[in-house]
């Protein structure tokens, strides 16, 4: 009963704007960082979160024990598009279930492309995230801020977060990316193989199918020689058929030293 009352209390607080929340009453506080103007006219900004000790939040692919984040940019002004750069996440073991995310402090870089170059961008953003300690709860962050700096020097906190981004396949020396996909009674089974030098420690591969409404099970990952191999089950959440485009599949290898982001795979 105490846990239920705690969840209900925090659920009410989650509806408040981030700037109005008491940092000691909620598990996360957040702000939008101004950043800088890049040479091509895009504006590099970021969402900066501070999590209370013992709490964590989740990566874009949070695992079976996590809650995926969502971003709603409606109401923003002079905003054409947004590119989100996720820093390398951590792998957590939650009572035998894997989740993928962040603790302590998180900076999520945002590359904002304005409709009218050189003009300020008004960011109106609603973020729905999950936060977990002994319990997991949904949480809402709301921002309304003008991004109008004329600085061209990178902000250290954002630059550091960008430096923590996964390596590209080229940067990591990936030699191959193959996917074997087979039908099952419930959906599809995928075996992904990435030829890549060791990324450090116990490696975990995350498989993202690149299509909506498809649940992907926690991957079973192991290394064999120069390949990292992972298998997962894919099931349509509404029971429908699954059409997979291998070029849209995203494979992320997470190691203790660095991560590798691989886009697409070939049959095999």
């Amino acid at each position: 009963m105490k846990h239920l009352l705690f969840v209900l209390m925090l659920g009410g607080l989650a509806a408040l704007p981030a700037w109005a929340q008491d940092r000691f009453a909620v598990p996360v506080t957040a702000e939008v960082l101004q950043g800088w103007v890049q040479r091509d006219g895009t504006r590099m900004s970021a969402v900066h979160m501070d999590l209370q000790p013992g709490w964590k939040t989740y990566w874009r692919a949070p695992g079976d024990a996590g809650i995926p984040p969502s971003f709603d940019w409606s109401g923003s002004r002079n905003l054409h598009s947004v590119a989100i750069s996720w820093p390398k996440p951590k792998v957590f073991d939650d009572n035998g279930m894997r989740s993928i995310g962040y603790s302590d402090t998180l900076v999520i870089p945002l590359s904002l492309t304005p409709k009218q170059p050189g003009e300020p961008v008004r960011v109106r953003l609603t973020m729905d995230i999950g936060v977990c300690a002994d319990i997991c709860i949904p949480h809402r962050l709301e921002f309304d801020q003008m991004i109008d700096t004329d600085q061209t020097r990178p902000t250290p906190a954002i630059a550091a977060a960008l430096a923590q981004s996964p390596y590209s396949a080229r940067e990591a020396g990936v030699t191959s990316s193959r996917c074997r996909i087979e039908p099952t009674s419930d959906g599809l089974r995928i075996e992904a193989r990435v030829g890549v030098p060791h990324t450090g420690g116990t490696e975990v591969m995350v498989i993202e199918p690149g299509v909506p409404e498809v649940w992907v099970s926690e991957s079973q990952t192991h290394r064999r020689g120069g390949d990292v191999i992972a298998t997962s089950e894919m099931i349509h959440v509404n029971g429908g058929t699954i059409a997979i485009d291998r070029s849209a599949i995203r494979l992320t290898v997470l190691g203790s030293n660095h991560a590798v982001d691989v886009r697409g795979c070939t049959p095999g």
Side-chain angles (χ1 to χ4, degrees), residues 113-124:
T113 300
K115 293 180 179 178
Q116 298 294 326
E119 297 297 320
V121 174
R122 181 179 179 181
V123 170
R124 299 188 67 178

Side-chain angles (χ1 to χ4, degrees), residues 3 19 34-35 39 43 59 75 87 114 121 124 139 147 149 153 156 171 174 176 178 195 201 204 212 223 241:
H3 280 179
W19 54 263
Q34 281 283 336
R39 290 183 177 179
R43 292 179 175 271
W59 187 49
V121 174
R124 299 188 67 178
H139 190 78
I147 305 298
T149 182
R153 178 178 298 177
E171 291 169 334
V174 171
S176 61
R178 295 162 289 167
V204 171
R223 175 172 280 275
T241 58

Side-chain angles (χ1 to χ4, degrees), residues 200-218:
T202 301
E203 296 169 303
V204 171
M205 187 190 300
V206 180
I207 301 172
E208 297 172 79
V211 291
E213 299 184 330
V214 173
W215 173 81
V216 181
S217 68
E218 178 180 304

Side-chain angles (χ1 to χ4, degrees), residues 12-266:
L13 288 169
L16 294 173
W19 54 263
Q21 296 169 351
D22 182 343
R23 64 177 295 122
F24 299 107
V26 294
V28 58
T29 55
E31 62 178 333
V32 172
L33 303 180
Q34 281 283 336
W36 69 94
V37 181
Q38 303 189 100
R39 290 183 177 179
D40 62 0
T42 59
R43 292 179 175 271
M44 184 59 68
S45 180
V47 173
H48 173 214
M49 299 186 205
D50 283 317
L51 292 134
Q52 293 294 319
W55 289 85
K56 60 179 177 289
T57 191
Y58 296 104
W59 187 49
R60 64 168 191 265
D64 286 350
I67 301 171
S70 67
F71 298 77
D72 182 355
W73 302 93
S74 60
S76 296
R77 297 290 182 267
N78 193 35
L79 182 60
H80 177 267
S81 62
V82 180
I84 301 173
S85 298
W86 291 94
K88 175 182 174 290
K90 302 175 184 177
V91 178
F92 299 98
D93 183 9
D94 302 299
N95 299 317
M97 296 185 69
R98 180 192 300 158
S99 64
I100 302 173
Y102 309 89
S103 57
D104 302 322
T105 296
L106 169 62
V107 176
I108 306 174
L110 309 170
S111 180
L112 310 175
T113 300
K115 293 180 179 178
Q116 298 294 326
E119 297 297 320
V121 174
R122 181 179 179 181
V123 170
R124 299 188 67 178
L125 168 62
T126 298
M127 284 184 65
D128 287 316
I129 62 174
V131 288
C132 275
D134 296 329
I135 57 173
C136 294
I137 60 172
H139 190 78
R140 174 164 289 183
L141 298 167
E142 295 179 337
F143 308 93
D144 187 349
Q145 183 168 329
M146 293 295 294
I147 305 298
D148 56 4
T149 182
D150 59 1
Q151 291 292 323
T152 57
R153 178 178 298 177
T155 305
I158 303 176
L162 288 169
Q164 296 169 20
S165 298
Y167 293 166
S168 68
R170 181 184 59 80
E171 291 169 334
V174 171
T175 57
S176 61
S177 173
R178 295 162 289 167
C179 294
R180 179 184 301 166
I181 300 174
E182 301 171 340
T184 66
S185 58
D186 299 317
L188 298 174
R189 179 181 182 272
I190 180 171
E191 179 187 85
R193 292 173 174 255
V194 175
V196 63
H198 209 291
T199 59
T202 301
E203 296 169 303
V204 171
M205 187 190 300
V206 180
I207 301 172
E208 297 172 79
V211 291
E213 299 184 330
V214 173
W215 173 81
V216 181
S217 68
E218 178 180 304
S219 67
Q220 302 300 311
T221 307
H222 66 281
R223 175 172 280 275
R224 184 181 300 161
D227 288 347
V228 179
I229 305 169
T231 57
S232 291
E233 303 293 325
M234 297 190 292
I235 300 173
H236 197 288
V237 296
N238 295 321
T241 58
I242 305 174
I244 294 294
D245 177 0
R246 282 184 172 83
S247 67
I249 292 175
R250 192 169 188 175
L251 307 172
T252 306
V253 180
L254 302 173
S256 59
N257 294 336
H258 60 270
V260 182
D261 184 10
V262 181
R263 309 295 184 95
C265 56
T266 60

